Amino acid sequence: MLEKILKILNVITQVILLITAFVSLITAYVVFAPDELPKPFRLVYDYDTSLSTPAVSGAEVSEPVAEEAVATEAHEIIPGEGIMLNMSTKIINLVDPTGRKYIRVTIVAEFAPDNPEYESLPEEEKEAYLLEFEEKLNSRLPIMDDTVITLLSTKTYEDLYTAEGKEKLRAEIMQILSEKLVDLHIISIYFTEFVVQ
């Protein structure tokens, strides 16, 4: 009798292990296999432009139209494909009783072109558009500089010296600039120099 119970428990354990291994393999395939391969469902990355950290959500995309819509939306906000504006290096005193703490930071802001056909324009028109868009960005540079300087002057050393502090600052800069520059779409903010002392 005891032997039969042990055999049944052994079979149940093996079935559970097989199911667990199968689920693990399917999960690994969905997460790590290239998107060109067929999958039961796909992970869709939803980038929130007000924050720098992407939120990942699982979603089923069953129709080609939905896939194209997701790809188009993601393409508009992919970091590295926009127009960069170097906001130069800033040295700003931080909130500190001794007045000796400061930050030296160089910020590059990336903007999405306001013309969706920008990439498909002929070379000459593309260059002309780029010059015009850069002039527009440069005309807003005083607003951006003032916003960043004002924000940084409210920070303490403890707010900024950690990686989490830098990410929070990046998100705050993006949010405030998006509120002030309503006709421009900010893709990302980059720190090319960041020294807090």
Side-chain angles (χ1 to χ4, degrees):
M1 179 77 174
L2 184 61
E3 279 185 29
K4 284 185 179 180
I5 293 173
L6 288 174
K7 282 183 181 179
I8 291 170
L9 288 174
N10 190 22
V11 169
I12 291 171
T13 304
Q14 288 180 0
V15 169
I16 291 171
L17 286 173
L18 283 172
I19 292 170
T20 304
F22 180 74
V23 170
S24 297
L25 284 172
I26 291 294
T27 304
Y29 174 75
V30 168
V31 172
F32 297 111
D35 285 338
E36 293 79 27
L37 297 175
K39 295 183 180 183
F41 63 91
R42 299 182 189 282
L43 294 176
V44 178
Y45 296 88
D46 177 24
Y47 288 90
D48 183 356
T49 53
S50 66
L51 299 171
S52 62
T53 312
V56 182
S57 60
E60 287 190 33
V61 181
S62 56
E63 298 179 14
V65 177
E67 273 186 24
E68 287 171 19
V70 169
T72 305
E73 185 181 329
H75 179 73
E76 291 176 0
I77 55 173
I78 290 177
E81 291 190 354
I83 296 170
M84 304 287 182
L85 175 69
N86 189 331
M87 294 175 62
S88 74
T89 301
K90 294 165 180 49
I91 301 173
I92 298 156
N93 286 337
L94 299 173
V95 177
D96 178 60
T98 65
R100 294 179 181 174
K101 300 285 185 186
Y102 69 90
I103 180 172
R104 178 185 171 97
V105 62
T106 306
I107 298 171
V108 175
E110 182 179 13
F111 294 87
D114 51 13
N115 181 355
E117 306 296 324
Y118 164 70
E119 288 295 336
S120 60
L121 290 173
E123 198 59 39
E124 288 182 9
E125 289 182 35
K126 192 174 179 180
E127 287 179 15
Y129 170 78
L130 187 58
L131 284 172
E132 184 181 330
F133 191 77
E134 285 176 348
E135 283 178 16
K136 181 179 180 179
L137 293 179
N138 284 323
S139 71
R140 308 292 177 82
L141 196 53
I143 296 170
M144 292 186 251
D145 284 341
D146 178 68
T147 301
V148 170
I149 290 169
T150 303
L151 177 63
L152 288 173
S153 64
T154 65
K155 300 295 180 184
T156 64
Y157 176 83
E158 288 73 22
D159 292 334
L160 301 174
Y161 81 99
T162 64
E164 293 82 7
K166 292 179 184 70
E167 287 306 313
K168 186 177 177 187
L169 177 64
R170 186 194 318 274
E172 287 178 1
I173 292 172
M174 282 187 66
Q175 182 178 356
I176 294 173
L177 290 181
S178 295
E179 289 170 2
K180 292 202 173 186
L181 308 171
V182 291
D183 59 332
L184 295 171
H185 177 67
I186 300 175
I187 297 174
S188 190
I189 293 290
Y190 305 100
F191 299 125
T192 55
E193 181 183 14
F194 199 102
V195 179
V196 183
Q197 290 185 339

